[in-house]
């Protein structure tokens, strides 16, 4: 009803057609408490594997909110840790599509231990391979800590939320009434807290933008930056630059227009456009090479 895609549909949009190779498709949880042994859906609420984005390899996981609310069990965590280990070993980025209510309470400390293993992988992968988190739904508890430790966090307006604990618990403890959007919506995290770097209107937009960002990044710290063939000559002149900066230093001008004139074919992928608006940070290309601009 909210225009959200399923866990597998999201991977179909994110990855090159026919490139996805799934791991542990039939894996199920091992919990035998609270009648859980009667509910053992294959995959245990997360789709993991490898694929390609514009021909370049990537490891991915996509949580399925329709299976126990996307909650993380011990085996759910094992599946995520497996692809993260492979990513660091092979020097390939990880993209996580997060749509989870947090730890699976039926499993108690086993579930919490699973999150500890995921967080450890986040730390080990940091600085080794790019980690991108897409918050695709209402995420709480442990499902929030992991994305916050990754390099880039994207959200969807209206359908994705990030909070340590939900509005009901806040009301119980502090007597303060707050909505999900006010507590952890895309607007709050992209403009106030700075936890998220960009937000988008729907699932298609966020996945398409992630493909665009991926083109700017190296596969790992050992690899060189990708280079794209461009028809924009390196010695191109831009007459606009002569007049874009006003003679009066007290008058403002649009810095983004300056960047677009200097880089290849106006290529510019801004990071955190709504946070700390007195500075512009972005990826762009010059002579086909990725550059970071501040």
């Amino acid at each position: 009803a909210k225009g959200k895609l399923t866990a597998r549909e999201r991977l179909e949009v994110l990855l090159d057609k026919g490139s996805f190779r799934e791991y542990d498709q039939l894996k199920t949880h091992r919990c035998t408490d609270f009648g859980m042994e009667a509910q053992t859906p294959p995959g245990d609420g997360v789709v993991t594997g490898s694929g390609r984005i514009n021909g370049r390899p990537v490891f991915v996981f996509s949580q399925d909110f329709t299976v126990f609310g996307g909650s993380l069990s011990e085996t759910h965590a094992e599946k995520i840790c497996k692809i993260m280990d492979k990513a660091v070993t092979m020097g390939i980025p990880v993209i996580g599509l997060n749509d989870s209510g947090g730890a699976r309470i039926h499993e108690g400390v086993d579930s919490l231990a699973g999150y500890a293993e995921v967080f450890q992988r986040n730390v080990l992968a940091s600085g080794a391979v790019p980690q991108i988190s897409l918050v695709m739904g209402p995420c709480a508890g442990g499902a929030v800590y992991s994305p916050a430790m990754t390099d880039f966090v994207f959200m969807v307006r209206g359908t994705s939320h990030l909070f340590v604990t939900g509005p009901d618990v806040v009301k119980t403890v502090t007597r303060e009434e707050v909505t999900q959007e006010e507590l952890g919506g895309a607007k709050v995290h992209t403009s106030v807290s700075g936890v998220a770097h960009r937000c988008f209107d729907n699932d298609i937009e966020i996945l398409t933008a992630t493909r665009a960002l991926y083109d700017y990044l190296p596969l790992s710290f050992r690899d060189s930056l990708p280079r794209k063939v461009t028809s924009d000559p390196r010695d191109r002149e831009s007459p606009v630059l002569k007049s874009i900066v006003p003679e009066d230093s007290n008058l403002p001008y649009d810095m983004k227009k300056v960047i677009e004139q200097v880089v290849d074919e106006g290529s510019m992928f801004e990071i955190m456009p709504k946070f700390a608006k007195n500075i512009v940070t972005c990826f762009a290309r010059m002579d086909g090479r990725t550059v970071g601009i501040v």
Side-chain angles (χ1 to χ4, degrees):
K2 293 182 178 179
K4 294 173 65 174
L5 301 177
T6 66
R8 293 183 183 278
E9 287 172 342
R10 289 166 178 167
L11 291 178
E12 287 178 10
V13 176
L14 177 65
L15 303 173
D16 294 348
K17 187 176 182 180
S19 68
F20 181 57
R21 296 294 179 268
E22 188 172 354
Y23 298 156
D24 304 320
Q25 185 176 7
L26 301 179
K27 192 163 189 168
T28 60
H29 68 77
R30 294 187 284 267
C31 181
T32 56
D33 297 320
F34 307 103
M36 288 293 287
E37 66 275 8
Q39 304 177 65
T40 55
D44 202 28
V46 64
V47 182
T48 61
S50 63
R52 291 186 176 273
I53 295 178
N54 295 325
R56 303 171 71 219
V58 64
F59 282 101
V60 293
F61 68 85
S62 180
Q63 293 177 315
D64 188 348
F65 200 81
T66 66
V67 179
F68 303 126
S71 59
L72 184 133
S73 68
E74 182 184 16
T75 51
H76 184 122
E78 287 174 353
K79 290 182 66 173
I80 294 175
C81 289
K82 179 176 180 176
I83 62 141
M84 294 183 76
D85 287 339
K86 285 180 175 291
V88 173
T89 301
M90 298 174 66
I92 294 173
V94 179
I95 299 179
L97 280 59
N98 297 271
D99 196 352
S100 168
R104 191 173 301 171
I105 198 166
H106 310 76
E107 297 199 13
V109 73
D110 289 336
S111 175
L112 298 179
Y115 265 125
E117 294 293 338
V118 173
F119 302 157
Q120 176 69 9
R121 266 65 174 191
N122 287 134
V123 174
L124 295 174
S126 180
V129 296
Q131 300 179 82
I132 303 173
S133 295
L134 310 187
V135 182
M136 311 294 288
C139 293
V144 174
Y145 308 141
S146 176
M149 287 193 283
T150 59
D151 300 310
F152 300 99
V153 181
F154 292 167
M155 296 183 69
V156 182
R157 292 185 190 92
T159 58
S160 69
H161 302 93
L162 279 175
F163 34 63
V164 175
T165 190
D168 293 340
V169 177
V170 172
K171 183 179 179 181
T172 302
V173 175
T174 68
R175 303 298 173 90
E176 180 184 358
E177 292 193 16
V178 63
T179 66
Q180 283 192 340
E181 200 64 32
E182 292 168 337
L183 186 62
K187 183 178 180 180
V188 170
H189 287 310
T190 54
S191 62
V192 181
S193 72
V195 170
H197 299 84
R198 292 278 296 264
C199 60
F200 302 89
D201 289 329
N202 54 56
D203 284 12
I204 299 292
E205 283 189 17
I206 192 174
L207 295 166
T208 304
T210 303
R211 286 178 62 88
L213 170 65
Y214 197 76
D215 274 353
Y216 288 98
L217 304 177
L219 293 179
S220 73
F221 75 99
R222 294 187 294 264
D223 287 272
S224 57
L225 290 165
R227 188 171 185 182
K228 262 200 165 185
V229 177
T230 177
S231 58
D232 197 348
R234 59 190 298 176
D235 56 356
R236 166 179 58 82
E237 293 186 1
S238 180
V240 179
L241 294 176
K242 294 179 180 179
S243 58
I244 202 168
V245 180
E247 292 184 11
D248 186 347
S249 60
N250 292 318
L251 293 175
Y253 63 96
D254 191 345
M255 193 63 221
K256 294 178 186 178
K257 290 184 178 178
V258 176
I259 296 172
E260 288 171 355
Q261 288 296 317
V262 173
V263 300
D264 291 351
E265 303 170 31
S267 63
M268 177 181 168
F269 191 96
E270 191 171 0
I271 305 298
M272 305 180 84
K274 298 182 183 298
F275 185 76
K277 292 185 178 181
N278 58 335
I279 189 170
V280 176
T281 57
C282 66
F283 289 118
R285 293 188 183 89
M286 299 182 74
D287 195 26
R289 294 183 175 90
T290 299
V291 294
I293 297 176
V294 179

